[in-house]
Amino acid sequence: MKSPFWLLLLCTACSTHNTADDYAWLSSERLERIQEHGVDTKQRTPLQFTNGETVSNCRDYLKQKSDVLETSFNFMVRSEYMDCEALRLNKVYPVKTLMTLPGIAESLCSALDLHSFRHSLRPRLLDNQVTLNDLTDGKLSKDINSCTYDDSDTYFNLSAVLFVKTPTGQEKLWVEMVDEIRTGTYRTYTGMWFHRTSPTSLWRAIDAP
């Protein structure tokens, strides 16, 4: 299989930056939100951490060294703090320009290893069901930078926010996940790094929650 054309676009577009990695921001919605005035101090629903502390804005969220307390309420509240995670990424990969990488949505659907991280679909997966494309009971849809699986029980969305290519050729992708069980109260929002060693290998989670 030939390397995707968008990798060539990325290398061309990012050849002038000053960091060791080539990278591209992919989500226009997330960029707009983190570039809003006062986003770091904007008041959000209080979020609890395992050290007993509670935060209500990105400035305090980014100071935390402990983990988010694992409760249903906190899992739902984390949707408001995805901006904070993007702000953290922006410190390492400063926003310069927004790019659209053809094929990234299809890559999330067909080349992301569902066995490599925790989510509500995982207990239902058969050994041969590795990607969202392998699931047969629900509806699969793609939109620019995201892939969504939807059935009577579950809403599951993966959205790519940041693509990084290291000098050694490793590719990393920051993905935001929405995972909801319709028949209960489970709903979680989180972001995580996925990586692959070549354009033809599967994306696998790094330090998954």
Side-chain angles (χ1 to χ4, degrees), residues 16-205:
T16 60
H17 68 75
N18 296 321
T19 63
D21 297 330
D22 287 334
Y23 65 93
W25 283 83
L26 309 177
S27 171
S28 59
E29 178 182 2
R30 189 59 63 196
L31 287 187
E32 288 174 4
R33 294 178 68 88
I34 68 172
Q35 291 174 334
E36 290 178 359
H37 176 71
V39 64
D40 58 331
T41 56
K42 177 182 177 180
Q43 290 298 297
R44 304 168 193 270
T45 304
L47 181 69
Q48 299 172 306
F49 285 80
T50 54
N51 62 2
E53 295 185 11
T54 299
V55 304
S56 57
N57 58 54
C58 285
R59 181 183 58 191
D60 294 335
Y61 177 92
L62 294 175
K63 293 178 182 177
Q64 279 293 325
K65 303 298 183 183
S66 59
D67 296 325
V68 173
L69 187 64
E70 293 191 3
T71 66
S72 296
F73 178 77
N74 279 333
F75 284 153
M76 288 188 287
V77 169
R78 286 186 72 174
S79 64
E80 300 182 32
Y81 290 83
M82 298 312 297
D83 291 342
C84 308
E85 293 294 349
L87 286 173
R88 191 197 308 276
L89 293 174
N90 186 43
K91 292 181 179 180
V92 181
Y93 304 103
V95 174
K96 291 192 174 185
T97 185
L98 177 71
M99 289 188 64
T100 299
L101 302 183
I104 198 66
E106 175 58 34
S107 185
L108 290 173
C109 289
S110 64
L112 189 143
D113 186 354
L114 295 175
H115 290 276
S116 68
F117 61 106
R118 294 191 310 183
H119 50 84
S120 64
L121 291 172
R122 187 167 179 176
R124 298 159 45 185
L125 296 177
L126 302 177
D127 289 341
N128 64 339
Q129 293 178 321
V130 179
T131 71
L132 288 175
N133 265 1
D134 298 324
L135 305 181
T136 58
D137 295 335
K139 176 183 178 183
L140 196 66
S141 57
K142 299 184 286 284
D143 181 21
I144 306 178
N145 299 316
S146 69
C147 182
T148 301
Y149 175 81
D150 199 348
D151 63 21
S152 58
D153 297 322
T154 306
Y155 175 83
F156 187 82
N157 172 268
L158 298 171
S159 296
V161 174
L162 177 66
F163 175 87
V164 177
K165 187 173 184 179
T166 69
T168 61
Q170 184 188 58
E171 297 170 5
K172 300 195 299 181
L173 194 66
W174 178 259
V175 177
E176 295 178 355
M177 177 181 71
V178 180
D179 186 8
E180 176 182 353
I181 298 179
R182 301 186 189 281
T183 56
T185 58
Y186 178 82
R187 183 183 303 159
T188 185
Y189 303 81
T190 191
M192 67 190 81
W193 282 111
F194 289 84
H195 73 106
R196 63 183 182 184
T197 55
S198 75
T200 58
S201 60
L202 291 177
W203 293 106
R204 291 186 171 88

